[in-house]
Amino acid sequence: MNTRTAPPSLLRPEDLWSRMLETTRHGLATGALQPIATECRTLNHRGVPFQVRMLGRAHLKDERAKREPPRATPFNPFEHPDPDLVVGGLTPTHVCLLNKFNVVEHHLLIVTRVFEEQESWLTAADFEALALCMSGLDGLAFYNSGEAAGASQRHKHLQLIPPLGPDGLRVPMETWLSAPLARGVVKTVPDLGFGHVATGLGPWEDVPARDGARMLEAYLALMAAAGMGTTPLPPYNLLATRDWMLLVPRACAESQGINVNAMGFGGSLLVKTAQQRQQLEEQGPMELLRQVTRPVVLG
């Protein structure tokens, strides 16, 4: 029988990694955590070592077998989270979970305790909870707002993964984002061939309230620069590390059958078949990203 010590009431940054490892072991043992097997290849394009993962045949077969008639009310896995996937509480408003169907290891979800729409504005509370996790895990944070941006659940959740890139990069795309970006300055990075705006976050303080407030300030500046103040909000992806933040306005969810979410703009793409992978190699990942984004012209 698998037993597990009850998590503390609220997580501290220094306890996040050990608690995540413990929850991962428990989730695998109970079957609550169901990693998705993929084959990963590196595809170098325009100086970026893109990671291209292809779903395994077993997963595609399972997906076909699991198809069910649509529910009258869509299932919300975050309304009552599986306790075997709960890493711990973060703040009075947010909780940290493991991603049940993870493609990369140690994929965390930062979820609101009370339902909020995924397409609503991010708030100070969202960023404070995210900053707490980022102080414990120096990786890539991201957010998919809207179906056209790759969101699969309506319940608001941010995401955080460990570093993916080679040579100390948190993501492959950091090849073009590693040069310091100034805090308070919104710009585009010419080497990124897709629509975006970016800004620096300044020195990380490991104080969630202050780090979160700085992230909120950057987010609002990027949204304004990209003309994202309309209601309802247009679809977009947000990516952030301790050093920078990137906003990507979306035009569509996919191109030629290849879906793209925020991780794609970090340099990690997922394809379903060898044919899609070959197609991606022929056109180049940056061209795919350009096709699914909306151009941004700074005034």
Side-chain angles (χ1 to χ4, degrees):
M1 178 178 179
N2 292 294
T3 58
R4 184 181 176 212
T5 304
S9 55
L10 291 178
L11 277 171
R12 299 177 301 175
E14 58 267 31
D15 297 329
L16 176 67
W17 186 256
S18 61
R19 179 61 60 175
M20 178 185 62
L21 293 179
E22 177 189 336
T23 308
T24 297
R25 287 191 293 267
H26 180 77
L28 290 171
T30 61
L33 185 62
Q34 299 180 27
I36 296 174
T38 61
E39 175 192 327
C40 184
R41 292 186 184 179
T42 299
L43 175 57
N44 288 291
H45 187 228
R46 297 187 189 174
V48 178
F50 281 90
Q51 296 176 2
V52 181
R53 292 176 170 81
M54 186 173 73
L55 292 176
R57 291 182 179 178
H59 176 74
L60 290 174
K61 182 178 179 180
D62 288 345
E63 284 300 301
R64 289 192 292 268
K66 290 177 183 177
R67 286 176 186 165
E68 300 176 354
R71 299 168 180 259
T73 303
F75 174 63
N76 179 3
F78 304 145
E79 184 177 13
H80 302 291
D82 184 338
D84 291 333
L85 297 176
V86 176
V87 179
L90 298 172
T91 64
T93 58
H94 289 72
V95 64
C96 182
L97 313 175
L98 292 178
N99 184 353
K100 181 180 182 69
F101 301 108
N102 59 308
V103 173
V104 299
E105 284 190 311
H106 311 315
H107 186 158
L108 299 177
L109 305 178
I110 296 91
V111 182
T112 57
R113 295 179 186 265
V114 177
F115 179 82
E116 296 181 33
E117 286 285 356
Q118 183 74 359
E119 296 181 41
S120 60
W121 285 85
L122 291 171
T123 66
D126 294 321
F127 283 114
E128 181 175 352
L130 177 60
L132 189 154
C133 289
M134 291 174 70
S135 285
L137 175 57
D138 184 12
L140 174 73
F142 61 93
Y143 186 67
N144 304 318
S145 180
E147 288 187 19
S152 59
Q153 299 292 335
R154 286 182 54 191
H155 190 134
K156 185 192 276 187
H157 60 288
L158 297 101
Q159 306 185 54
L160 178 64
I161 56 174
L164 288 177
D167 303 323
L169 299 180
R170 283 160 292 198
V171 288
M173 200 69 78
E174 206 162 29
T175 298
W176 298 122
L177 293 166
S178 56
L181 296 172
R183 177 184 172 186
V185 176
V186 174
K187 61 180 290 185
T188 58
V189 180
D191 291 300
L192 300 183
F194 53 86
H196 71 282
V197 282
T199 191
L201 291 176
W204 196 257
E205 298 182 53
D206 284 324
V207 179
R210 291 210 292 267
D211 292 325
R214 195 165 58 254
M215 293 179 79
L216 175 62
E217 177 185 49
Y219 166 70
L220 294 176
L222 292 178
M223 293 288 277
M228 303 286 282
T230 60
T231 302
L233 285 175
Y236 67 92
N237 296 113
L238 188 74
L239 296 83
T241 67
R242 295 181 185 180
D243 300 315
W244 50 262
M245 183 177 285
L246 181 76
L247 178 76
V248 182
R250 294 297 297 271
C252 56
E254 64 177 46
S255 178
Q256 301 183 59
I258 302 175
N259 287 83
V260 180
N261 64 14
M263 286 181 63
F265 303 102
S268 178
L269 293 159
L270 182 68
V271 297
K272 296 180 179 179
T273 65
Q275 181 180 5
Q276 285 187 342
R277 183 167 62 193
Q278 181 179 354
Q279 175 183 309
L280 186 61
E281 291 172 353
E282 291 173 354
Q283 75 168 359
M286 282 290 193
E287 175 59 21
L288 170 68
L289 300 181
R290 185 195 67 78
Q291 291 173 2
V292 299
T293 56
R294 180 172 59 81
V296 177
V297 179
L298 294 179

